[in-house]
Amino acid sequence: MLPGCKEKPMTMQDISTYQSEYQGSNLEFGAKYLPKLLGPHFKSIEEGLGGNQKKEIHLVYGGNTALTFTDEKEYQNYTISFHKLILLRMALLLKVCTTENYSLSLSKPFFVKGETNPETEIQEFEVLRTTIPKSKVDSILLKYKNWNVLENPKLDSETWLKISKEIDEAWIVELNELSRVSLE
């Protein structure tokens, strides 16, 4: 394409502008703006009742490659931290939406441990799913309002560790199949 041309990162002002355009439809709003926020990680958004019969927005995100360049423990820690960051970014944008819970799923191609058939060695599957009350995420975002959720955090920073701990205490991990992932 054009040399030196790249997509402008989203700003808090962009988020505010998008939120001012909310017309009452969670799905339309999410489908229009989450791809802008999450880029190629966005897969789909759905709305319905969760397992606890509460109104829920469900986001599916992921990538399109199974390759990784870290060891298993580091990969799991990084993946869970990235999941939390996607959750916070989604919640920041969808703060104007009416729902009780956010559900978030990571679905992408993975190398599967123990597979001997090359046709099934790489599979796309949901590997991590969490649910958290919208009110809890909103309170975390408010509490840490001076922390920029649109920037990638240092995973060992004091603020990120505090935020991460609060998310751990509030969310329900419904599915964690990270142990099935073989790193190649």
Side-chain angles (χ1 to χ4, degrees):
M1 303 297 218
L2 299 173
C5 185
K6 63 180 183 177
E7 192 172 335
K8 173 183 96 124
M10 189 171 289
T11 65
M12 294 301 280
Q13 181 59 46
D14 294 331
I15 298 280
S16 295
T17 300
Y18 299 153
Q19 289 171 335
S20 70
E21 297 175 17
Y22 178 70
Q23 299 289 320
S25 170
N26 297 341
L27 283 180
E28 285 179 26
F29 182 77
K32 183 174 182 181
Y33 293 114
L34 281 168
K36 293 179 182 194
L37 176 64
L38 303 177
H41 298 291
F42 176 80
K43 289 196 176 230
S44 67
I45 182 173
E46 299 171 351
E47 185 175 36
L49 294 179
N52 57 6
Q53 297 303 304
K54 293 189 176 189
K55 191 173 179 183
E56 183 172 281
I57 293 175
H58 182 79
L59 172 73
V60 179
Y61 78 98
N64 55 13
T65 179
L67 294 176
T68 186
F69 302 98
T70 61
D71 67 33
E72 192 169 321
K73 181 76 170 153
E74 187 178 329
Y75 181 78
Q76 288 184 19
N77 289 338
Y78 171 79
T79 300
I80 290 170
S81 290
F82 188 69
H83 193 80
K84 292 173 184 176
L85 187 61
I86 294 290
L87 169 69
L88 291 169
R89 289 177 179 173
M90 172 185 80
L92 176 68
L93 177 69
L94 301 183
K95 183 169 52 173
V96 295
C97 294
T98 55
T99 191
E100 294 175 272
N101 292 328
Y102 293 125
S103 176
L104 185 61
S105 291
L106 169 60
S107 178
K108 65 182 249 22
F110 290 100
F111 290 96
V112 180
K113 283 184 182 173
E115 289 294 337
T116 56
N117 185 350
E119 290 81 37
T120 61
E121 186 173 316
I122 297 177
Q123 299 174 25
E124 175 149 342
F125 65 95
E126 180 184 27
V127 70
L128 184 62
R129 182 183 339 112
T130 59
T131 301
I132 190 168
K134 178 184 185 295
S135 60
K136 183 59 183 171
V137 182
D138 288 347
S139 72
I140 292 170
L141 289 169
L142 182 61
K143 183 175 180 179
Y144 297 97
K145 64 184 174 201
N146 293 327
W147 181 77
N148 188 349
V149 70
L150 298 176
E151 291 180 2
N152 291 331
K154 291 188 184 327
L155 299 183
D156 61 351
S157 75
E158 184 178 340
T159 302
W160 176 252
L161 291 172
K162 287 178 183 177
I163 292 169
S164 186
K165 183 178 182 203
E166 288 190 38
I167 292 171
D168 284 337
E169 292 169 355
W171 72 6
I172 297 168
V173 177
E174 297 177 351
L175 176 73
N176 184 342
E177 294 287 328
L178 288 170
S179 63
R180 287 185 59 205
V181 174
S182 177
L183 303 184
E184 302 287 333

